[in-house]
Amino acid sequence: MPINRIVPTRRGRAAVAAVLASVAAGGYAAYDRYTDVGRMDPAVILAVEKAIIPWEGLVLTSHWDPFAKIWDICYGETQGVGPGMKKTKVQCRDMLLRRVHDDYYQPIMQCSPKLEAAPVSVRASMISGSYNFGVGAWCRSTAKARIEAGQWRAACEAQTAFNRAGGRIVRGLVNRREMGDAQRIGEAELCVSGL
């Protein structure tokens, strides 16, 4: 269970509302090119813009992640990354959107058919979590079981369990999974703010 109290916030509700309003106005139409079906699920946009990019940060030259013990680049990309690689900001954003949609959103929707019925904030939080700790872990998680039972808030709270790296609780992961920090929205915060 979460370490801190999980509550909806004004900034969480504002993030959800801003993305939904922009999608409705066609503000994210360029994102549609990343899907085979035409229109991008607003949850992917919400996850990318409000949960993944702020927490991952942008790194244009590959670097060694001492927690995961792997090379990464851009917004936490690890696939095919090695020392000395360089990318532009445009390449990083393109890579992130394509990967989040194809390699995280689609697989978790497939392993959890009831996720489609969840509010956009819940779907976005689950996408962000799976991007950070992996699709396999998410598909075996208590959060997924709560989604399948239609227990949205319980799913938001269950995902906070993914707060360890190297076998120990990491403050940054607690912040990311729960209520965020002064600059960034936490996944659970975002999740419950749309309920």
Side-chain angles (χ1 to χ4, degrees):
M1 290 318 304
I3 292 172
N4 301 295
R5 188 166 168 248
I6 306 301
V7 296
T9 62
R10 219 175 306 153
R11 72 180 183 172
R13 287 189 291 270
V16 173
V19 168
L20 290 177
S22 190
V23 166
Y28 288 108
Y31 283 34
D32 294 345
R33 68 188 167 109
Y34 297 101
T35 75
D36 295 333
V37 295
R39 187 155 178 189
M40 177 70 74
D41 183 336
V44 174
I45 298 166
L46 184 58
V48 167
E49 296 292 328
K50 304 300 182 183
I52 296 171
I53 287 176
W55 285 101
E56 293 293 342
L58 177 61
V59 177
L60 298 175
T61 301
S62 61
H63 76 283
W64 182 253
D65 180 334
F67 287 111
K69 298 186 181 3
I70 193 168
W71 288 95
D72 70 10
I73 196 166
C74 296
Y75 298 103
E77 177 62 53
T78 60
Q79 190 175 51
V81 179
M85 293 179 72
K86 294 186 183 300
K87 299 280 183 190
T88 67
K89 189 174 182 178
V90 171
Q91 288 172 317
C92 288
R93 190 178 239 6
D94 184 63
M95 185 186 327
L96 177 66
L97 289 166
R98 191 170 312 284
R99 287 268 288 147
V100 168
H101 180 268
D102 294 352
D103 297 343
Y104 297 92
Y105 166 75
Q106 288 183 330
I108 69 169
M109 294 299 282
Q110 196 167 20
C111 85
S112 179
K114 294 200 176 171
L115 185 54
E116 187 174 352
V120 67
S121 63
V122 174
R123 292 193 318 271
S125 296
M126 300 301 135
I127 293 164
S128 175
S130 73
Y131 180 79
N132 184 243
F133 55 78
V135 169
W138 190 88
C139 288
R140 294 184 304 272
S141 73
T142 301
K144 184 250 186 186
R146 298 297 179 261
I147 292 290
E148 291 303 301
Q151 300 169 343
W152 311 136
R153 182 175 179 90
C156 297
E157 291 179 353
Q159 188 161 283
T160 65
F162 289 92
N163 60 9
R164 295 176 181 268
R168 60 187 171 91
I169 292 176
V170 175
R171 184 80 223 152
L173 289 175
V174 170
N175 291 347
R176 182 176 184 158
R177 292 284 111 70
E178 294 186 8
M179 294 299 294
D181 58 25
Q183 296 81 31
R184 300 170 292 193
I185 296 171
E187 289 169 354
E189 173 188 3
L190 179 65
C191 198
V192 301
S193 290
L195 296 180

